[in-house]
Amino acid sequence: MNEQQASKRAEEVVHQAVEGVSPKPTLKRTGLRPLGACVASDDGGSDDRVQYRLTYQLTGVPGSRAKTLVRQARDAWVKLGYKFQSSDADWSNSFPSVSMRTEPDDFWMTAVTGVVDRAKGEGLAAISVTSPCFAPTGGSTASSAAFRHTQVDELAEHRALDHSSRIYEALQAPPSPAQAGEGTSAYQDSEGRYVHHAWSTQSLTEEETVRAMARTQTYFESAGWTVRHVPTGTGVPAIVARNAEDESVAQVAPSNTGAVRVAVTTPVGPGGSTPV
């Protein structure tokens, strides 16, 4: 796979969701964005693969119908045989979200209702599709050109490291010495610049891992992050979380070595930060 193929398939999944919805929304694309390096490598070496996320807002319909759009998107994906990441959405909630994945190519998608006016029950529906991990070259020069290293931005680095610190406190697990490919780095593509911070814990038992992941999920939910689960080969799902305030994405993934791998990707704001 390469970036072009990932983008094409993500677009297909979005259009499958909205093809039959009513009232018909206007699709507002907010970009194809990298999530940074993948964190599921279990060989102790660097994992240079990347993931991309495509997001659309469904605009041009009354805010009171946002919940209906999310349900209809869910129904369309179910008819295509796609699977739930965990359980179905809580449809008694005024602002539900649903997380699913495609088979067999394993794209992950979320249909979510963001709050516009809680008192009136009005929201804004959005769909995000995340690609599987793939090599940044992928046989295509377009991918390597679109996702390249750049200079670290100080403000975005501070935010990424702050999020990492909060995750470390939630995990309550000792960190391991930095491995190849870990630490702080920066990337740039056609949509913007991003700071990426990756690190790992020391090896944990399965019971310790389960407790650590539960504490981390509790932290994300209490801090207002959007959380979804991703199956792993360890039997303990990984967590992918998004911070609506600064659009950071965090991945917390158990590995076959017993370590929990953490990665936080934070976008650089317009103009970047001003060094002090």
Side-chain angles (χ1 to χ4, degrees):
M1 186 185 295
N2 57 39
E3 180 191 354
Q4 182 178 7
Q5 293 166 332
S7 176
K8 181 179 179 180
R9 176 58 169 146
E11 291 275 6
E12 180 183 36
V13 173
V14 172
H15 286 278
Q16 287 172 339
V18 301
E19 183 176 358
V21 304
S22 178
K24 199 71 174 181
T26 299
L27 298 183
K28 180 182 178 182
R29 177 169 166 155
T30 61
L32 180 71
R33 298 184 175 184
L35 297 184
C38 293
V39 296
S41 178
D42 288 326
D43 58 6
S46 174
D47 188 342
D48 295 326
R49 298 173 302 158
V50 296
Q51 286 178 292
Y52 276 81
R53 171 175 291 171
L54 178 68
T55 300
Y56 275 98
Q57 291 182 352
L58 310 186
T59 65
V61 300
S64 59
R65 300 302 300 274
K67 179 178 178 178
T68 301
L69 298 184
V70 171
R71 183 189 288 273
Q72 290 175 337
R74 185 280 309 266
D75 292 344
W77 287 332
V78 168
K79 288 181 180 179
L80 291 167
Y82 299 155
K83 305 300 182 182
F84 289 100
Q85 292 280 21
S86 53
S87 59
D88 195 1
D90 178 5
W91 297 106
S92 65
N93 191 319
S94 299
F95 304 99
S97 63
V98 60
S99 294
M100 300 183 69
R101 61 184 175 86
T102 66
E103 287 192 343
D105 50 0
D106 202 31
F107 279 69
W108 315 328
M109 59 276 199
T110 301
V112 61
T113 310
V115 179
V116 174
D117 189 325
R118 186 174 295 277
K120 296 181 180 179
E122 294 184 350
L124 177 67
I127 292 176
S128 294
V129 180
T130 303
S131 76
C133 298
F134 61 91
T137 53
S140 166
T141 56
S143 254
S144 58
F147 191 82
R148 61 183 184 272
H149 289 273
T150 186
Q151 184 177 1
V152 173
D153 176 84
E154 290 185 6
L155 180 57
E157 179 184 23
H158 174 78
R159 289 173 176 167
L161 293 176
D162 183 63
H163 289 318
S164 275
S165 295
R166 303 289 82 75
I167 295 169
Y168 168 74
E169 292 171 356
L171 282 169
Q172 297 180 26
S176 68
Q179 306 293 316
E182 295 184 341
T184 304
S185 54
Y187 302 91
Q188 181 171 346
D189 71 352
S190 60
E191 299 290 341
R193 293 186 293 148
Y194 309 84
V195 171
H196 182 74
H197 182 237
W199 57 278
S200 303
T201 70
Q202 294 181 16
S203 182
L204 306 176
T205 66
E206 182 176 357
E207 184 178 353
E208 289 171 337
T209 299
V210 170
R211 291 200 300 265
M213 296 298 290
R215 287 191 295 266
T216 304
Q217 177 170 335
T218 298
Y219 158 69
F220 281 134
E221 292 175 343
S222 65
W225 293 62
T226 300
V227 177
R228 62 187 176 85
H229 295 94
V230 180
T232 69
T234 68
V236 181
I239 293 173
V240 178
R242 178 181 179 274
N243 184 298
E245 186 173 333
D246 63 14
E247 298 188 347
S248 292
V249 174
Q251 302 175 74
V252 185
S255 72
N256 291 330
T257 65
V260 175
R261 304 186 189 279
V262 178
V264 177
T265 303
T266 298
V268 175
S273 61
T274 303
V276 177

